[in-house]
Structure formats: structure tokens, C-alpha cells
């Protein structure tokens, strides 16, 4: 999953896990690859967030907004 990740890259994961749970759930090989590539790692619970703001199961909108913010492709306010 991380083979195409460039050094200093960004990984955005959709999961319900807390930081403590993340440490338990992510495979050691993935944590090692993230560390070796000095990647920035972000986690968002897009399912829960979409439900809370009345978007139902449309997590793609939540993930897209997070991606735009992290990647800086276009100004966040325009996204």
C-alpha cells in the first residue's frame, strides 16, 4: 500500500481508531515504512463525521476536503 509513497509524502487514512488503537492496529511493516519515508500520517473518521453533519454515508466529500487541506492542491477555502 505504501510502495508508491515518496519520501516526505502524506498518508490519509479513514478509520475510527484513536492514536492508541492505531498503534495496535497498524502492521509493524506499515509503521516502519512510514518512518523510513518520513511520511506525514493523518487519520480521520470520515464515516462518523459524515453522519454527525447530516451527510449520511458520503465519506468521499469528507475525505476530499481533508485531501485538499493536506495536499494544498487548491486553496482550502475554494474546495
Amino acid at each position: 500500500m505504501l510502495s508508491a509513497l515518496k519520501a516526505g509524502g502524506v498518508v490519509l487514512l479513514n478509520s475510527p481508531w484513536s492514536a492508541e488503537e492505531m498503534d495496535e492496529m497498524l502492521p509493524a511493516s506499515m509503521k516502519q515504512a512510514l518512518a523510513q519515508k518520513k511520511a506525514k500520517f493523518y487519520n480521520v473518521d470520515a464515516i462518523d463525521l459524515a453522519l454527525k453533519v447530516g451527510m449520511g454515508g458520503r465519506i468521499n466529500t469528507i475525505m476530499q476536503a481533508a485531501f485538499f487541506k493536506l495536499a494544498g492542491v487548491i486553496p482550502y477555502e475554494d474546495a
Side-chain angles (χ1 to χ4, degrees):
M1 184 164 97
L2 299 177
S3 61
L5 180 64
K6 295 180 182 178
V10 176
V11 175
L12 175 62
L13 179 69
N14 174 30
S15 83
W17 303 327
S18 67
E20 295 79 27
E21 292 169 317
M22 190 76 59
D23 192 43
E24 292 177 25
M25 301 300 284
L26 290 181
S29 60
M30 184 174 184
K31 291 187 276 188
Q32 184 179 28
L34 289 166
Q36 286 175 341
K37 295 185 180 198
K38 297 184 183 346
K40 293 177 184 159
F41 182 82
Y42 298 91
N43 180 55
V44 62
D45 187 348
I47 295 170
D48 185 56
L49 188 54
L51 290 172
K52 284 181 180 176
V53 297
M55 296 174 69
R58 295 198 322 245
I59 65 166
N60 59 323
T61 305
I62 303 293
M63 294 301 289
Q64 184 179 35
F67 168 78
F68 284 143
K69 179 68 174 173
L70 295 173
V73 175
I74 60 174
Y76 179 71
E77 295 77 23
D78 293 343

